Amino acid sequence: MLFSRRGGPRTRRLLFSLLLLASWKTGSCQVHYSVPEEAKHGTFVGRIAQDLGLELAELVPRLFRVASEGRGDLLEVNLQNGILFVNSRIDREELCGRSVECSIHLEVVVERPLQVFHVEVEVKDINDNPPVFPENKKRIIIAESRSPETRFPLDGASDADVGANSALTYQIDPSDYFALDTKHNREQTSSLSLVLRKSLDREEIQEHRLLLTATDGGKPALTGTVQLLITVLDVNDNAPEFDKFIYKVKVLENAFNGTLVFKLNATDPDDGINGDIIYSFRRPVSPAILNAFIINPNSGEIRTKGTLDFEEEKFYEISVEAADQGNIPMAGHCTILVEILDINDNAPEVTITSLSLPVPEDAQVGTVIALVSVSDRDSGTNGQVTCTLTPHVPFKLVSTFKNYYSLVLDSALDRESVANYIIVVTARDGGSPSLSATASVSVEVADVNDNAPTFAQPEYTVFVKENNPPGCHIFTVSARDADAQENALVSYSLVERRVGERALSSYVSVHAESGRVFALQPLDHEELELLRFQPRQPNPDWRYSASLRAGMHSSVHLEEAGILRAGPGGADQQWPTVSSATPEPEAGEVSPPVGAGVNSNSWTFKYGPGNPKQSGPSELPDKFIIPGSPAIISIRQEPANSHIDKSDFITFGKKEETKKKKKKKKGNKTQEKKEKGNSTTDNSDQ
């Protein structure tokens, strides 16, 4: 790994930790290693777990894994010691061809929580490939009439290595007639020529044999050779010539089949067949050139053949020969450099992986949902990709490394509002016109218990006839929960308390599932006028209750109609009367039946149609007295839509003396019930 080695181990670990922390803060992390090609199995590459700040003990529980797209199993990680090592043979030339840079990109993923790291392993070239010539023997025909300094092009050797390991030098056997000349041009291609040093004499030497040697720049250096067989002929003394040695052309990769690339024009001063020129690709011809171009031997036109693809081949070097038709053919040579121009013909590709679904609705902002990677085979602006998300969703894309993104939570979720999101990732390149691709992922929001059960109203008032049968149903409560599945299941229970000297549960019970409230024993109005209790939902996470008030009234008091007399000067009014159930009503104290204000002493009556003696609505008396009692009820009228509590405008005057306690015998009460039984109101089946 490329880290500074100055200082002790603690210094290096501290420096790396600081650098790694800085990388995490920016949302991306990259560790760089290097390894020579052809390294043996098990060769140490780096302490990847330590360099990424991961503990060895958490590699297996956090599902540590390494992926390398299209690279197979070249590298592996020992989960016991966190060391990255060579697993199989790495051939740089097979992996990256002639590319100067060659790296294996690893994606390291751990979960709980989900983290992704990007590791780059540079494959270093070694000098494992010798220079190779296209053929072992090269035959060259030279007329004896050729003048000194005439140049004859030679095919140079190729070396699959890169850098200094592929830098070639040439030498030839010592000769009085021939010399070797090498020239490099701006396109980083070399022209190798055999130069005639003095005139040939076929009668003296008919054939020359020379050994051409290529040596690369590796240490130790490797070599390759080719045997040059030079035949001297005596006839046609002028070869075709081109006005340039190198021609440059550019062709769009979407050029139609048969598009003209270049028209050759060589000249030969000879007459007749000695001046007739035939054009051809100079052998040997690479399959790539034969598949992409065709040459007309008579006109010298070079046209496209099939389709060109910038992503497959960006540059072609075509060697052309122009040979005359003399008895001893002579040839001229040139090179055409064809540059393929990229067009925006590849749409981006989007991949979504490592999904963490479903997402709890209480997930923290910044939680990683998925990993997104994009790619585009085009180059330059055409290959520059930008990613966007579906608008108006609580997610965003965070760039982690080059064309890698994390899909993270951007704002709080609420399953009760939106339970599922269809997230569409759009990748668009910078071409004109631009191309785009989309990938979608369905993000389900998982429910958490964040809603309390609620009752329809906070308080219910129920009237029950006394002497009810044990176990009778007096009321049903119902609560709803906005959550889902088990979080929405509601059960009911009573809030236990004491009623006098007895527990509330000895009077009533509530069914845990249905919410049905039952009276467990007969209720006695004279003993218990009002029983107030709270059912609740016994969920360990939430508590919500509603109050029930059950008033026990005798049949006589429920049915009799009394007269509330208006104060002095007021008219008598006929009102339905519900008298106090308190055994000893004190001055100004009246029990609160249906409609009374909570926790207040109040008196409820009805003013409306059905009472023949009542005044009109606009003549409502402002004072009433209770028959047989000096208590005075004062009423302050408010508009119909007023929301003022009753306790704010209903008051009681105090009695001058306390009424004596009235004792009733059970027999009298039973007789009254029988007399009034036909009009009794019974709410026990509500």
Side-chain angles (χ1 to χ4, degrees):
M1 182 173 182
L2 299 181
F3 291 110
S4 172
R5 295 300 180 186
R6 297 178 182 175
R10 291 187 58 187
T11 303
R12 291 196 296 273
R13 285 197 296 270
L14 178 59
L15 176 60
F16 173 74
S17 300
L18 293 175
L19 292 175
L20 190 58
L21 179 60
S23 298
W24 282 338
K25 287 183 178 180
T26 60
S28 65
C29 175
Q30 180 179 2
V31 177
H32 182 274
Y33 300 110
S34 63
V35 63
E37 64 171 326
E38 305 296 340
K40 295 181 180 179
H41 172 77
T43 298
F44 173 87
V45 178
R47 300 185 181 276
I48 190 170
Q50 175 182 324
D51 295 339
L52 293 177
L54 301 175
E55 297 293 334
L56 294 180
E58 67 180 349
L59 297 185
V60 174
R62 294 188 66 186
L63 303 181
F64 180 97
R65 57 191 183 274
V66 176
S68 176
E69 182 179 358
R71 302 307 186 193
D73 58 345
L74 300 178
L75 301 171
E76 285 289 343
V77 175
N78 186 328
L79 297 182
Q80 302 301 320
N81 54 26
I83 291 177
L84 181 67
F85 64 93
V86 175
N87 186 51
S88 60
R89 175 177 175 267
I90 301 176
D91 187 342
R92 188 186 188 282
E93 289 70 36
E94 180 182 345
L95 195 64
C96 301
R98 298 281 299 172
S99 176
V100 176
E101 297 179 356
C102 184
S103 298
I104 300 174
H105 295 279
L106 303 179
E107 186 178 78
V108 180
V109 179
V110 292
E111 297 184 0
R112 304 171 186 166
L114 177 64
Q115 288 180 284
V116 60
F117 306 92
H118 296 278
V119 178
E120 183 181 44
V121 180
E122 180 184 2
V123 180
K124 295 288 188 179
D125 182 53
I126 64 173
N127 193 25
D128 59 340
N129 293 280
V132 177
F133 287 93
E135 48 195 353
N136 295 328
K137 294 182 179 180
K138 174 68 176 178
R139 293 188 175 275
I140 304 174
I141 300 176
I142 303 177
E144 63 176 344
S145 59
R146 300 302 295 264
S147 60
E149 301 304 318
T150 300
R151 310 174 77 87
F152 302 93
L154 297 176
D155 296 317
S158 61
D159 193 317
D161 294 321
V162 297
N165 294 331
S166 66
L168 303 180
T169 58
Y170 298 89
Q171 63 181 13
I172 197 172
D173 290 345
S175 172
D176 295 333
Y177 292 91
F178 298 96
L180 194 63
D181 185 28
T182 303
K183 291 184 178 180
H184 294 274
N185 53 46
R186 296 179 181 176
E187 287 69 37
Q188 301 301 315
T189 62
S190 61
S191 61
L192 186 63
S193 300
L194 188 65
V195 181
L196 184 62
R197 298 177 63 181
K198 68 177 184 178
S199 299
L200 297 172
D201 186 355
R202 181 180 178 278
E203 285 68 27
E204 182 179 351
I205 302 176
Q206 295 183 355
E207 186 178 79
H208 298 262
R209 290 177 176 265
L210 301 174
L211 185 65
L212 176 61
T213 302
T215 305
D216 64 24
K219 294 182 179 180
L222 301 177
T223 62
T225 61
V226 60
Q227 185 74 45
L228 301 180
L229 302 177
I230 305 170
T231 302
V232 181
L233 296 179
D234 181 26
V235 278
N236 188 17
D237 59 347
N238 288 291
E241 293 182 350
F242 295 93
D243 59 350
K244 290 183 179 180
F245 182 70
I246 295 178
Y247 297 89
K248 300 177 184 178
V249 294
K250 297 180 180 180
V251 181
L252 291 173
E253 67 170 329
N254 65 340
F256 293 107
N257 184 17
T259 298
L260 178 65
V261 176
F262 190 76
K263 189 177 187 305
L264 298 168
N265 185 24
T267 59
D268 191 327
D270 292 332
D271 293 330
I273 59 173
N274 291 332
D276 294 336
I277 298 175
I278 298 297
Y279 299 95
S280 63
F281 294 134
R282 186 161 62 88
R283 296 182 180 182
V285 187
S286 70
I289 292 177
L290 290 176
N291 292 333
F293 304 97
I294 188 173
I295 187 171
N296 187 310
N298 298 314
S299 66
E301 291 182 345
I302 299 177
R303 295 182 179 271
T304 59
K305 176 184 177 183
T307 58
L308 302 176
D309 190 349
F310 174 87
E311 286 69 35
E312 295 293 335
E313 200 74 46
K314 302 176 177 59
F315 184 84
Y316 293 89
E317 182 176 342
I318 306 175
S319 295
V320 176
E321 181 179 273
D324 62 24
Q325 300 298 298
N327 292 328
I328 303 176
M330 302 187 68
H333 306 85
C334 73
T335 300
I336 302 173
L337 304 180
V338 181
E339 180 184 356
I340 307 302
L341 300 180
D342 181 50
I343 65 168
N344 194 24
D345 60 342
N346 292 281
E349 296 179 358
V350 185
T351 304
I352 301 177
T353 58
S354 300
L355 304 178
S356 298
L357 300 175
V359 182
E361 64 177 322
D362 62 349
Q364 296 295 318
V365 172
T367 298
V368 178
I369 309 302
L371 303 179
V372 180
S373 61
V374 296
S375 61
D376 194 314
R377 297 183 63 204
D378 292 319
S379 65
T381 304
N382 296 332
Q384 294 177 359
V385 181
T386 57
C387 276
T388 57
L389 275 185
T390 307
H392 312 302
V393 293
F395 304 93
K396 67 179 180 180
L397 287 174
V398 176
S399 178
T400 57
F401 176 74
K402 292 183 179 178
N403 289 333
Y404 293 87
Y405 300 84
S406 291
L407 177 64
V408 302
L409 184 62
D410 190 37
S411 60
L413 299 174
D414 185 6
R415 188 204 65 83
E416 287 69 36
S417 300
V418 181
N420 185 272
Y421 294 88
I422 302 298
I423 306 300
V424 178
V425 180
T426 301
R428 185 175 299 277
D429 63 27
S432 180
S434 63
L435 300 177
S436 64
T438 61
S440 62
V441 57
S442 177
V443 179
E444 178 185 354
V445 181
D447 182 61
V448 297
N449 195 23
D450 59 345
N451 290 278
T454 58
F455 290 91
Q457 57 191 70
E459 183 174 296
Y460 300 86
T461 301
V462 181
F463 287 98
V464 182
K465 289 195 301 183
E466 66 179 354
N467 295 329
N468 56 282
C472 72
H473 171 224
I474 62 174
F475 193 68
T476 299
V477 293
S478 177
R480 296 179 61 85
D481 193 306
D483 291 319
Q485 299 176 352
E486 67 271 13
N487 293 333
L489 298 178
V490 178
S491 59
Y492 306 87
S493 64
L494 290 176
V495 179
E496 184 64 273
R497 68 179 182 85
R498 303 292 298 179
V499 180
E501 298 182 355
R502 301 176 63 180
L504 172 65
S505 57
S506 66
Y507 288 99
V508 293
S509 68
V510 60
H511 191 273
E513 296 179 1
S514 67
R516 291 165 62 89
V517 181
F518 300 92
L520 300 180
Q521 62 181 19
L523 302 175
D524 189 347
H525 173 77
E526 285 68 27
E527 178 185 344
L528 183 65
E529 174 196 3
L530 179 67
L531 181 62
R532 185 168 186 165
F533 54 92
Q534 288 183 316
R536 71 181 178 188
Q537 192 270 359
N539 184 292
D541 298 323
W542 293 99
R543 296 289 186 269
Y544 195 87
S545 62
S547 298
L548 291 176
R549 300 193 305 172
M552 278 58 73
H553 300 277
S554 67
S555 299
V556 173
H557 293 155
L558 284 170
E559 295 171 354
E560 70 179 358
I563 298 177
L564 294 179
R565 299 197 304 275
D572 291 345
Q573 299 294 333
Q574 182 74 27
W575 304 99
T577 303
V578 183
S579 65
S580 172
T582 305
E584 291 185 0
E586 299 297 332
E589 293 181 352
V590 182
S591 63
V594 177
V598 179
N599 297 327
S600 65
N601 291 329
S602 60
W603 185 268
T604 302
F605 57 90
K606 179 179 180 182
Y607 178 79
N611 296 312
K613 295 184 180 181
Q614 73 180 22
S615 304
S618 62
E619 301 175 1
L620 175 65
D622 59 355
K623 292 182 179 179
F624 295 89
I625 63 173
I626 302 174
S629 171
I632 298 177
I633 303 174
S634 300
I635 301 177
R636 175 166 56 86
Q637 299 187 51
E638 293 292 338
N641 60 353
S642 174
H643 298 289
I644 300 176
D645 189 79
K646 293 182 177 67
S647 62
D648 293 337
F649 59 85
I650 299 178
T651 58
F652 296 84
K654 293 186 178 180
K655 294 185 179 181
E656 296 177 357
E657 61 182 17
T658 302
K659 300 179 74 176
K660 294 182 178 181
K661 180 178 180 181
K662 295 182 180 180
K663 297 184 178 179
K664 296 185 179 181
K665 296 181 179 180
K666 190 69 174 180
N668 294 339
K669 184 176 68 173
T670 303
Q671 181 64 28
E672 290 176 358
K673 288 184 178 179
K674 291 181 180 179
E675 294 173 357
K676 302 297 183 178
N678 294 334
S679 59
T680 299
T681 301
D682 185 3
N683 292 332
S684 64
D685 294 330
Q686 293 181 358

